[in-house]
Amino acid sequence: MTRILAILMILAGLAVPAAAQDETGGDSATENSDAAAVATQEDDDEDDDDEEAGGGGEGVHEAAGKFDYGFSGVLARDNRTDLAPLTLASGQPVASDEYTLKSGGYYRIDINADGSQELALSGGDFFRAVWVNEVVINDIEIRPMGVHSLEFDDAGTASMSFIAIVPGRYTLSIPGSSGETQQAVFNIQ
């Protein structure tokens, strides 16, 4: 019985757009998409005004993305926003401020270790809330299915690109540390 209801719901959903187009004519869909494009452009102009007025505030890394997906889609280099780097050094703060990201945005962040101590960044909740495209270490690209932590035994830089997915507040922190400066906070909106 459940299967029959599911099939009927799918068929009804597929029939509705075709019936709506027949009633309104074929050109109204084009007019609606043109109106939506103008509305989007006006919203973009308002967002630009907010950024010029200092909408980001001090103490927060505000990630502004283009989000105009072209031929290459969301992973186009033009769509990527570079975030302020994270630092792994003995006695130094990991991040200078909190990061504010937009769900669906494509980001890249560098993680720099000075080699003063063997340190790691752990954050299973953060890594489950994003889709990791790649981690680059010494020009070696790693495309993981999942990540829980990154550990640095020596000095070096790892670059990670990802798409923010699940809204919420997440942290990447040094395991075993309890101080607020020993973590990076990511707010995905």
Side-chain angles (χ1 to χ4, degrees):
M1 183 69 179
T2 306
R3 290 182 185 172
I4 292 172
L5 287 175
I7 291 170
L8 289 175
M9 295 294 286
I10 291 171
L11 291 175
L14 293 174
V16 171
Q21 185 175 5
D22 290 341
E23 291 176 6
T24 60
D27 293 336
S28 66
T30 306
E31 292 170 4
N32 289 341
S33 66
D34 291 342
V38 170
T40 303
Q41 180 63 32
E42 290 173 0
D43 290 341
D44 289 343
D45 292 342
E46 291 174 10
D47 291 343
D48 292 342
D49 294 340
D50 292 342
E51 290 173 7
E52 292 172 4
E58 193 160 330
V60 174
H61 294 294
E62 186 71 32
K66 181 174 134 185
F67 307 125
D68 182 21
Y69 306 126
F71 182 71
S72 297
V74 72
L75 295 177
R77 189 170 298 208
D78 291 342
N79 294 329
R80 185 178 65 210
T81 301
D82 289 327
L83 301 174
L86 299 176
T87 304
L88 288 177
S90 180
Q92 299 294 319
V94 173
S96 57
D97 293 314
E98 292 186 5
Y99 295 88
T100 301
L101 311 177
K102 297 197 186 301
S103 181
Y106 179 38
Y107 301 98
R108 179 175 64 183
I109 191 165
D110 289 336
I111 304 166
N112 302 316
D114 68 354
S116 60
Q117 189 175 357
E118 185 177 320
L119 294 171
L121 274 179
S122 180
D125 290 342
F126 171 77
F127 288 115
R128 284 188 293 277
V130 302
W131 176 74
V132 178
N133 179 41
E134 68 180 3
V135 178
V136 180
I137 304 165
N138 293 334
D139 295 326
I140 299 171
E141 297 176 3
I142 303 163
R143 301 195 188 271
M145 288 295 292
V147 178
H148 186 271
S149 65
L150 298 171
E151 184 174 336
F152 291 78
D153 293 337
D154 291 321
T157 299
S159 181
M160 180 176 68
S161 62
F162 62 93
I163 296 176
I165 305 291
V166 182
R169 181 179 170 91
Y170 305 99
T171 60
L172 285 177
S173 61
I174 297 174
S177 66
S178 60
E180 289 184 19
T181 62
Q182 301 302 299
Q183 66 183 2
V185 178
F186 294 87
N187 295 304
I188 301 176
Q189 300 176 341

